[in-house]
Amino acid sequence: MTKRIFSQAFVVVGAIIEKEGKILLVKEGSGTEKAKWNQPAGGIEVGENPIGEIRREVKEETGFDFEPTGLVGIYSLVNKYLEPKYGAIPHPFKLIFRGNVVGGELIKNNDEIAETRWFTPEEIGRMNKEKLRDMDIVDEVKDYFAGRNFQLDLIRHNVIK
């Protein structure tokens, strides 16, 4: 993976996985935001197709095979409070997918993930920035349960040779 440099905006994909009214979050076990809860997510590397990337990230972080069915939304997150930590302001644009688990088995942990757990929307809403990687996850979950769903064909991935 390429080292992230926070001098410009970058793109991240994330998945909201719901089962019986609860949302799956993963506790990060490595990296700069270690021990914080996040949805299965990751940065898009140059050349990667966002839809293929979210499938890969979900598989790596949860063990599940994920089939995206739509976008909950695109979120622009300016993390000014992290400037002292990084010497710059991280500004991800997050493509948040909804979809279905179509196979695989939930893992408890791996090299990247310390723990996986299902949370109610209310439990997520009570988390603060010391527990939750990105505070916009609260809005993403609200938008998911409000039924926000944009077609995947909004994403056009072209590789020009």
Side-chain angles (χ1 to χ4, degrees):
M1 177 188 268
T2 306
K3 183 178 185 228
R4 182 79 56 217
I5 299 171
F6 295 122
S7 60
Q8 57 188 333
F10 56 98
V11 180
V12 172
V13 294
I16 294 184
I17 300 173
E18 183 252 337
K19 177 179 157 186
E20 299 173 357
K22 293 187 175 183
I23 299 297
L24 181 64
L25 296 182
V26 298
K27 184 181 275 187
E28 298 180 342
S30 63
T32 58
E33 300 300 319
K34 186 176 179 177
K36 291 189 177 184
W37 290 103
N38 194 16
Q39 75 259 81
I44 296 179
E45 299 297 327
V46 173
E48 287 183 304
N49 181 324
I51 295 171
E53 173 66 9
I54 194 55
R55 289 180 181 129
R56 185 179 65 76
E57 288 291 345
V58 170
K59 184 67 172 178
E60 287 177 2
E61 295 186 2
T62 71
F64 284 143
D65 298 317
F66 179 75
E67 188 57 40
T69 59
L71 279 172
V72 175
I74 301 171
Y75 299 81
S76 174
L77 180 62
V78 181
N79 287 312
K80 288 186 175 186
Y81 78 98
L82 290 173
E83 185 173 20
K85 184 175 186 174
Y86 296 112
I89 299 170
H91 182 184
F93 280 85
K94 298 170 67 178
L95 304 175
I96 302 301
F97 291 88
R98 64 188 313 124
N100 300 308
V101 172
V102 295
E105 289 187 31
L106 182 62
I107 58 172
K108 299 291 183 199
N109 57 47
N110 63 21
D111 292 340
E112 289 182 48
I113 302 303
E115 185 179 353
T116 56
R117 190 184 313 164
W118 297 93
F119 291 90
T120 66
E122 296 78 21
E123 290 171 319
I124 294 169
R126 288 191 298 267
M127 291 182 183
N128 59 28
K129 65 185 176 204
E130 282 71 41
K131 293 195 183 256
L132 200 58
R133 173 158 183 163
D134 292 326
M135 291 309 298
D136 67 331
I137 294 170
V138 174
D139 291 332
E140 296 162 13
V141 169
K142 286 178 185 175
D143 290 347
Y144 172 86
F145 282 106
R148 289 190 56 160
N149 185 22
F150 299 95
Q151 294 182 358
L152 290 177
D153 65 4
L154 287 174
I155 300 172
R156 301 278 192 202
H157 180 74
N158 296 299
V159 178
I160 310 301
K161 295 181 182 184

